[in-house]
Structures are given as structure tokens and as C-alpha cells.
Amino acid sequence: MNKNRIYIKLSRKYSTATHRLYRYIGCILWIIFFLISSNALADDKKHDLAGASLEELLNFELITASKIARQVSDAPSAVSIVTADDIKAYGYRTLGEILNSMRGLNITYDRAYDFLGGRGFSSPGEYSGRIMLLIDGMQANDNVYNQAYFDHSGLIDTELIERVEYVPGPGSVAYGNNAFFGIVNIITKKGADFNGAQAAVSAGSFLTGKTRLTFGKQFSNDVDLLLSASGLTSRGQNFYFPEFDNGDPLNNNGIARRQDGQNNQRFFAKLQGRNWLFEAGHSRRHKDIPTAPYGADFNTHYFYTDTNKFVAGQYHIDLSDHLKLSLLTDFSDYRYHGNSLYSGEYWADESIGRRWGTEAKFSGNWFDFHKIIFGVAFRDDFQRKIITPAASSDHGRQTVSVYAQNEFTLRNNLWLNLGVRNDYFTDDGNAVSPRFALIYEPLPEHFVRLSYSRAHRTPTAFEKFYTDGEFLLPNPNLKIEHVNAAELVLERRWSNQSRILASFYHQTTVKPIQSTPYSSDFVQYLNTNGARARGLEIEAEHHWRNNMRIRASYAFQDSEDGAGNWAINSPRHLGKFNFTAPVYGDLFRTGVEVQVVSRRKTHLGNTIGGFAIANATLSTNRLIPNLDISFTIRNLFNTNYVHVAPDYNTPLSTIAQDSRNYWLQLTYEFK
């Protein structure tokens, strides 16, 4: 009886998702028809820069579009970048796959969310709340869990990404709360990159399919428009968990059947002018969970639904020859809904997070050899609501921030960067984040960077107030946690084609927030003893003139928790290798990558072995005019490997990952 109800719900769920996708695509088609038929924006206005050269226009746009991203790129730490060409060459489908290819990073997947780890920190189940995610400079973490979404719950299709930058280390001096261990910045494409309509259909293993429709155009008045809608469905896999094969007939011999499916829908719009930018996005993902977390009944319908929406605007103006102003404002809305069964009883919880914020950033060059950046920001988290059958809470708050940085040119090969930021939270008080950085070029294209920085993270609404009334207890007295980090980067470049980089780092956390073990009598988040991590990262990269590219990296990380023990899910060795090259002239392109992860410790105290997986992609856009074909095999050698399970997955200590799987994508451009 319950199964019948579940199947009916599934049918309704997928029907609703399909209708929502059709609605998105219908809107896109209507807008395309309207724009093409009326040529409204292009013909009705004459722009002041109509006489400017294309090069001048492009330069102007690049400055406007990358104003925030450029500051991230110029950070004195060892920045990693994956471009749109890399995304296409290696067939990346999610932001998590992109990040997993970067130096020193590793993704842990618990069949619900992707969790990002790096530089010794990789605790699964932390909702990636210590990494700040930006989309064109706008903060994209939700305000209930501070979660960054890297999987199919993310806001942006990878086909819309121009590049992804990862800046390791504390970044609170520039971005405040939650830029704790690093910053991920997504730079989206412009409409001019598509210059027309584009349709894509994809099919893959585990009965997975995806459709996408995109329209982009730069009009004669310099206005650039990008619209895109997409939808994905996947039945997922059946899994056998020996921990649940205990003779209980309700556990189906430890087999979770049809409990791994998911579907999502996305919509993204970007309208950009000479010195302004407007963006809006919507994503909704429904994910079935096969692992019965938090002690739920096994092999029953357990699911999460995450919905994210945002609108954002930017305006940039030169106030004088020596002073520039950037104004930013955004609004976001996050909804979560989870359903599960405990001892046959229905349990549902919900979360609603809504906020808006605004920022004024000034950049001045009044004095020789000084570039001064200062600003003020306000953020109103006016709703952070959590609803469970046991309790309901809603604790909004406001944040006021002021900051200043000075980039001082000491000599023609020596630069000093000093910065400080103060964030005042109406519920958690003040947090001060300083940064010091020295950049030295002793020889041409030889760089030495030395930096120290401090960052903070306030407790999330989930950590403070979530309760089930019995086992999971709230803790409204949680305090802000901090991290102090020092880094030395050595870099050598050759003619913009090659570079080799080495980074040495040491970081300590102060009063980190962690939950008590799920094996204890109750679970509660507490400020615990500080932890530390130190390590070394090495990366080499070369680009040949025939567009063949190679990148290889190795990371050693030594991380200890507050008790001095090896940190959970913190592999000491990580290796990455990426190679892409044209085949048969330029008829095809192939991309091959290998990722190596050493052994790790689970939350049950045991150690699991390392693994190495390989992925391969073959693509072409030369066989049929306007048609791009891409075929990807992930886990090429069908390696049997597992990830460390979050503590709330007890009795599971590991979770199986995907076997060899395939993905075929056809993309047609209407030109």
C-alpha cells in the first residue's frame, strides 16, 4: 500500500517537474520569437558608443564583467582556474566535477550532496558551509545551512560557465562571513558567446537524460542578453548495503531499490549593458536518498528538495579620474523540504531562507604607487526559518560591514597588500578579518608570494536552532569560529605557455563548530578544540601552440582534529592529471583525466583504502555543420571505490560511488 502511494507520488513528482521544464522552455521560445520578430532592442535605440571599435567595446565589457572576478584572480594565494574550453574538453556536467579536477581539492558524495574538501578539511556532511560560492561576484550560499551547491542542485549549467576560479585560504577580508577555507567564483558566459539559439539533448547511464535550450545575443546597442532553461531526470541506481542486511524483511535484504533518482530544472537570465548587469536564476532539485540517514527506515521513500532563486544587479561608474564606484545588490530565496519515515511514522521538515543585501565599493588611486579599495555593505537575513514536527524557529539578523585595502607598490618588483574588514552581526557580535600579503618578482616571471590572513564563520541557523525534540538538540549559545592561515607561494612562468607552482601552507582553526558523535546519547553542535592543517601543493601546466594542453598536480596535506588525531576524511595525498589534444587534425578532441586519492579515516575510526579513477571524453563539431557531439566515459576502468560517509549515515561508514558510466550530448546551434 505504501509502495503504491510512493509510486503515485513519484509519477506526480516527475509530471510536475516536466510541466515546470516545459513552462521554462516555453518562456524562452516566446522571448526568442519576440526578440527575433521585432528586433526590439537592436533597432529601436542608437547607442552612444556605436562608433567605437569592436576592440574598444570588448575591452570595456571585459572590465565591467570581471570587476569582482578580477580581484579574486589577483589574490596573492595560489588560484586555480578551469575555463569553458576545459569544461567542454573533459565533459564536466556539474560544478563538483569541475572542482574535483583542481589542485588539492576532493569531492565527497553521500548520494545526497557533493561536499568539497581541501587543505586538510574534508569532513563529509558539513554542507560545504566553509566555502563561499560566488556567481559573477554574488554570494550563492543559502542562509540556513550556509550550503554551497556543487551538484545537480546548483544554479548554473556548466555550459553557461566561462570559467571557474578557486582561491584557497581565508577570504573574509574581501567577502566577510563564510569565506573560511576558500572561495569558488563562477564567471558566466555572455549572450555574445552563443550569438543565437542553442539546443542540447543528452542521455546517459542510469536512465539519465537532460535537455537545455539557450539563447544569447549581443545587440547593436551593446546590450547583451543570455537566457537559458534546462531539465534533468535520472532514475539512479539500486544499492546493496550489508549493514542493513540483518534479516529484517522490511530492509529488503539490504537492497535500496529505486531510491537514488533525481530531477532538476534550471532557469538563468543575464542582461548586461555598458556599465551595468542584471541577473536572475532559479533551480529546483528533487533527490531520493538511498542511505537512510539520521536513523530513518531503510528502503523507504526518503527525499530532499532544494529550491534556490536569486536576482542581482551591479552598476559601475567612474566618479572622477581617481575614483571608481561599484554598486551591488541582490535578493535570494531558498526553500528546503525533506520527507522520511521513522519506525513507520511520517516525518517532514522544511526550511526557508530569504535575504537581501547591498554594497558600495570604491576604488581610488589618488596617490602614486597606491591603489585603495574601501567599501560598506549591508545584509538583511530577514528570514531563516526551520520547521519540524517538534519545533519551529525563525531567527533573522542583519549584518553591517566596512572594509579597506591598500595595494602598495614598494618597488617595481615588490608589492604590499594590507587589508582589514569588520563585520557586525546583530546576533553574534563583531568579527575582524585582517590580511597581509607581500608579492615579490626577483627575476622576470619568477614570483614569490607570502601571506597571512584570518577569516570567520558565524554559526548557521541549522547548527543553532534545529531540533527533533529528542535526539538532535539546539545550541543558541554557539560562538563564531575563526581560522588563521599563512601561505608561501613560489611560481615560475614561461612565455604564457608554461608555469610551475608550489604552495606551502599552515592553518589553525579557533573554536571550530562540530557536532557531537551520532553514537552518543544526543547530538548537539559545540565549539570544540582548535584543529590544524599543513601541507604542500605542486602544479605544472603547459599549453602547446596546436591547442594541446596538460596539467598535473600533487598535494600533501597533514590535518589533525582538536584531539591531535588524524582528521576524518582527510587524505594525505591527492594527485590530478589532465590532458587534452586534437585528434586527426582538428576533427576530434579528446580529454583524459586521472584523479588519485589516498586512504582516509572514517567517523567510525577505521581506515579505507585509496583509489584512482580515469575519465575520458571525445568530442567534435566538424562532422555536421552547427552540431557539437560529445561522448564521455566516467570511471573508465570501472574501479570499485567508496567515499567516507557522514556521521549521520551511521551504521554506514562508507558509501559506494558510480561504476563506469556514459554520457552522450548533442548540441545544435541555430545560426
Side-chain angles (χ1 to χ4, degrees):
M1 185 66 180
N2 287 337
K3 285 187 175 180
N4 289 335
R5 285 205 296 266
I6 289 171
Y7 290 144
I8 291 172
K9 287 181 179 179
L10 282 171
S11 300
R12 290 175 177 172
K13 172 188 66 181
Y14 284 107
S15 176
T16 302
T18 303
H19 289 159
R20 186 177 290 108
L21 174 61
Y22 287 161
R23 192 164 63 229
Y24 289 155
I25 293 177
C27 291
I28 294 290
L29 289 172
W30 184 88
I31 293 172
I32 292 172
F33 173 78
F34 174 79
L35 292 173
I36 292 176
S37 61
S38 63
N39 206 9
L41 290 174
D43 294 340
D44 290 345
K45 299 180 180 179
K46 300 297 182 184
H47 194 274
D48 294 338
L49 295 180
S53 69
L54 179 61
E55 183 179 11
E56 289 172 330
L57 292 174
L58 290 176
N59 286 336
F60 205 101
E61 289 179 358
L62 286 171
I63 292 171
T64 301
S66 62
K67 190 174 289 292
I68 302 301
R70 173 171 293 186
Q71 293 168 12
V72 173
S73 301
D74 291 343
S77 57
V79 179
S80 297
I81 296 177
V82 171
T83 67
D85 287 342
D86 295 324
I87 293 170
K88 184 177 179 181
Y90 300 110
Y92 297 137
R93 291 174 288 164
T94 66
L95 180 58
E97 291 179 350
I98 295 172
L99 296 170
N100 212 24
S101 72
M102 290 182 168
R103 176 190 69 249
L105 297 180
N106 65 300
I107 289 288
T108 299
Y109 179 45
D110 70 343
R111 314 302 311 183
Y113 299 107
D114 279 348
F115 304 108
L116 180 64
R119 296 201 164 178
F121 177 80
S122 188
S123 182
E126 294 284 352
Y127 297 120
S128 298
R130 292 175 174 86
I131 301 290
M132 175 169 284
L133 175 62
L134 305 174
I135 298 175
D136 293 324
M138 185 212 71
Q139 297 184 19
N141 297 58
D142 73 65
N143 69 344
V144 177
Y145 308 92
N146 277 1
Q147 185 171 1
Y149 297 89
F150 302 131
D151 40 57
H152 289 297
S153 58
L155 277 158
I156 304 295
D157 287 303
T158 56
E159 297 89 345
L160 307 182
I161 295 175
E162 176 60 32
R163 68 179 186 275
V164 177
E165 302 173 332
Y166 177 69
V167 185
S172 286
V173 68
Y175 295 98
N177 181 43
N178 214 46
F180 200 74
F181 285 129
I183 300 168
V184 176
N185 192 23
I186 299 174
I187 314 299
T188 60
K189 291 182 177 178
K190 298 181 294 184
D193 295 320
F194 293 90
N195 193 28
Q198 185 182 89
V201 294
S202 308
S205 302
F206 320 127
L207 290 180
T208 304
K210 179 181 177 182
T211 58
R212 176 179 58 83
L213 182 62
T214 301
F215 174 77
K217 187 174 180 60
Q218 184 182 54
F219 300 98
S220 58
N221 59 358
D222 202 29
V223 172
D224 187 277
L225 174 67
L226 174 62
L227 297 169
S228 185
S230 69
L232 175 143
T233 62
S234 177
R235 194 183 69 175
Q237 304 175 71
N238 299 328
F239 288 97
Y240 171 67
F241 298 100
E243 293 87 347
F244 291 104
D245 190 5
N246 55 8
D248 186 342
L250 296 178
N251 284 351
N252 194 32
N253 299 317
I255 299 174
R257 192 178 302 280
R258 292 198 172 188
Q259 301 297 328
D260 187 46
Q262 63 179 317
N263 66 78
N264 79 359
Q265 304 87 42
R266 289 179 174 133
F267 172 78
F268 180 69
K270 181 177 181 180
L271 188 64
Q272 183 174 357
R274 177 184 174 187
N275 53 0
W276 54 269
L277 171 69
F278 171 81
E279 289 181 317
H282 175 278
S283 73
R284 179 186 181 277
R285 186 190 70 153
H286 177 102
K287 180 69 177 70
D288 299 325
I289 313 299
T291 56
Y294 301 102
D297 294 347
F298 181 73
N299 196 38
T300 58
H301 192 208
Y302 192 130
F303 69 82
Y304 299 150
T305 300
D306 296 277
T307 304
N308 279 286
K309 308 171 189 173
F310 81 93
V311 293
Q314 300 180 23
Y315 180 71
H316 311 281
I317 186 172
D318 292 344
L319 298 177
S320 71
D321 292 340
H322 300 286
L323 184 62
K324 297 180 179 179
L325 169 63
S326 294
L327 297 173
L328 302 91
T329 189
D330 67 298
F331 168 83
S332 69
D333 183 306
Y334 168 74
R335 309 292 172 109
Y336 162 82
H337 180 74
N339 273 34
S340 53
L341 286 174
Y342 292 87
S343 301
E345 295 188 8
Y346 177 76
W347 177 276
D349 52 4
E350 297 183 24
S351 301
I352 303 173
R354 296 193 295 168
R355 67 170 179 85
W356 73 275
T358 188
E359 179 179 2
K361 176 180 291 186
F362 299 87
S363 176
N365 58 353
W366 298 282
F367 312 105
D368 291 341
F369 311 115
H370 289 268
K371 180 180 179 182
I372 300 172
I373 298 173
F374 59 97
V376 58
F378 173 78
R379 170 168 163 163
D380 185 2
D381 294 281
F382 58 91
Q383 189 167 37
R384 297 191 301 168
K385 191 172 186 177
I386 299 174
I387 307 168
T388 74
S392 176
S393 67
D394 189 359
H395 296 270
R397 73 172 185 188
Q398 293 75 44
T399 307
V400 178
S401 308
V402 293
Y403 57 88
Q405 299 178 56
N406 185 8
E407 298 176 7
F408 182 27
T409 302
L410 300 172
R411 297 171 54 185
N412 60 359
N413 63 347
L414 183 63
W415 300 270
L416 174 65
N417 184 298
L418 297 173
V420 66
R421 178 182 178 116
N422 184 78
D423 295 295
Y424 172 71
F425 306 95
T426 53
D427 57 346
D428 291 311
N430 283 288
V432 179
S433 303
R435 183 176 72 186
F436 158 87
L438 196 63
I439 303 172
Y440 180 46
E441 187 178 5
L443 297 170
E445 298 187 325
H446 293 70
F447 298 90
V448 179
R449 302 170 185 171
L450 179 65
S451 65
Y452 164 80
S453 54
R454 177 181 173 89
H456 62 272
R457 186 182 77 94
T458 61
T460 68
F462 173 77
E463 292 166 340
K464 269 189 169 182
F465 304 113
Y466 187 92
T467 179
D468 65 355
E470 296 180 2
F471 183 62
L472 302 172
L473 303 182
N475 184 2
N477 297 317
L478 278 175
K479 305 299 182 185
I480 297 175
E481 63 178 6
H482 296 273
V483 60
N484 302 302
E487 182 178 17
L488 172 65
V489 180
L490 307 176
E491 184 175 357
R492 169 80 165 97
R493 301 174 186 170
W494 292 270
S495 305
N496 294 323
Q497 287 185 290
S498 305
R499 75 163 185 164
I500 186 169
L501 175 148
S503 172
F504 306 84
Y505 64 88
H506 183 279
Q507 63 187 28
T508 57
T509 56
V510 181
K511 296 182 179 180
I513 299 170
Q514 294 181 329
S515 72
T516 55
Y518 275 73
S519 57
S520 56
D521 294 334
F522 63 90
V523 169
Q524 187 178 43
Y525 283 90
L526 304 170
N527 289 104
T528 62
N529 295 329
R532 67 141 185 96
R534 59 189 177 187
L536 162 68
E537 297 173 353
I538 300 174
E539 183 173 75
E541 186 171 9
H542 182 74
H543 293 195
W544 283 268
R545 296 190 186 279
N546 65 350
N547 208 15
M548 189 164 60
R549 308 189 295 272
I550 189 171
R551 184 178 73 241
S553 67
Y554 165 76
F556 168 77
Q557 50 190 24
D558 179 21
S559 178
E560 294 181 353
D561 60 20
N565 300 316
W566 183 21
I568 293 172
N569 196 34
S570 179
R572 289 200 168 95
H573 309 279
L574 290 169
K576 308 290 174 68
F577 174 83
N578 288 67
F579 176 74
T580 178
V583 180
Y584 294 110
D586 288 331
L587 186 60
F588 297 96
R589 170 166 289 277
T590 183
V592 178
E593 63 175 349
V594 179
Q595 298 167 356
V596 181
V597 178
S598 68
R599 63 193 184 98
R600 296 137 291 157
K601 175 184 171 185
T602 74
H603 67 269
L604 296 181
N606 58 315
T607 301
I608 60 174
F611 63 87
I613 61 169
N615 307 313
T617 296
L618 184 67
S619 60
T620 179
N621 56 4
R622 300 297 180 90
L623 294 180
I624 301 175
N626 299 332
L627 181 66
D628 195 303
I629 305 171
S630 176
F631 181 65
T632 300
I633 306 176
R634 305 198 72 81
N635 195 357
L636 184 63
F637 300 107
N638 203 25
T639 301
N640 183 19
Y641 70 106
V642 297
H643 284 174
V644 173
D647 193 11
Y648 51 67
N649 277 114
T650 302
L652 304 180
S653 62
T654 62
I655 295 177
Q657 299 302 299
D658 291 345
S659 57
R660 181 191 296 127
N661 58 94
Y662 309 92
W663 185 255
L664 174 65
Q665 179 167 304
L666 306 178
T667 304
Y668 187 80
E669 297 181 348
F670 297 90
K671 293 184 177 178

